[in-house]
Amino acid sequence: MLPNAQGVFETHQSVHPVSVIMYKHDLVYLTEDASHDAAIELINEEAFGPGRFTRAAARIREQGPHDLSLSFICTDNGETIASVRMTPVLAGTVKGHLLGPLAVRPSHKNKGIGRELVRIAVEAARRKGSEAVILVGDPPYYGPLGFEKVAYNALSFPGPVDPGRVLVVPIAEGVHARLKGTIAWRE
């Protein structure tokens, strides 16, 4: 294309509008507050069903409240579509946090939202001085996020747990050596 005598670029090709489908997601990560409770309950119900209340980690969460300052949600165009909670625990002699539940609405799975929520929560726990972030989960999913296996049967949960699924991100020195004994809610 060359400029005309007035220096204006012209085209002599006909331009046809093209239909383009665009998917716009305005994902926003926020600290959880009480206004998110109903949406989080729905997300966890979708993800885990009624059996979620019988899990050993749920027994710990029943002992006291989760830490709102370390619990996060993700919204898409204002709708809460994912959540992660952190509960303060004493695991052996380690003052840490139990991560979970982590859940993402089915419509938003496999987009990295859960991984980002975990990253945000672990970093927030680190800044707050937590010694470790512990969870019961799948090593192939959580391993790339910095989680390591806890020594087999090192922690005693208030209910049955597959010891091969107990994982930790050690933040303080000597965490693995001190993760021995019971795990319970702490203030």
Side-chain angles (χ1 to χ4, degrees):
M1 181 183 326
L2 298 172
N4 65 14
Q6 291 78 31
V8 176
F9 288 92
E10 294 179 340
T11 180
H12 297 287
Q13 300 172 4
S14 61
V15 177
H16 298 283
V18 176
S19 296
V20 176
I21 297 173
M22 294 183 66
Y23 296 96
K24 184 172 185 285
H25 290 284
D26 290 323
L27 298 179
V28 178
Y29 295 86
L30 302 166
T31 305
E32 178 188 333
D33 66 40
S35 72
H36 303 121
D37 284 348
I40 291 169
E41 181 59 29
L42 174 65
I43 293 166
N44 288 330
E45 183 179 340
E46 283 178 337
F48 304 111
R52 67 191 180 281
F53 299 114
T54 64
R55 296 177 178 197
R59 301 279 78 81
I60 293 169
R61 293 183 196 110
E62 288 174 348
Q63 296 169 7
H66 62 282
D67 186 336
L68 281 173
S69 72
L70 299 180
S71 299
F72 300 91
I73 62 149
C74 179
T75 66
D76 184 1
N77 292 320
E79 176 192 359
T80 301
I81 51 93
S83 163
V84 66
R85 287 182 165 168
M86 297 275 270
T87 302
V89 294
L90 184 61
T93 61
V94 175
K95 290 182 178 177
H97 287 85
L98 181 67
L99 187 143
L102 167 67
V104 178
R105 303 265 340 243
S107 58
H108 288 74
K109 284 189 177 291
N110 302 314
K111 298 181 188 308
I113 295 167
R115 290 176 188 267
E116 181 64 7
L117 282 170
V118 170
R119 188 197 65 74
I120 291 168
V122 169
E123 185 53 38
R126 185 184 318 274
R127 283 193 310 271
K128 194 167 181 174
S130 182
E131 293 185 297
V133 175
I134 302 158
L135 63 78
V136 179
D138 296 322
Y141 181 85
Y142 290 100
L145 303 177
F147 285 83
E148 305 166 0
K149 285 189 177 184
V150 171
Y152 198 80
N153 281 333
L155 291 175
S156 173
F157 282 75
V161 167
D162 177 350
R165 292 172 42 94
V166 180
L167 307 173
V168 63
V169 171
I171 297 172
E173 291 293 320
V175 164
H176 278 285
R178 296 186 296 125
L179 285 174
K180 291 183 177 30
T182 61
I183 180 169
W185 182 84
R186 70 172 171 87
E187 286 190 55

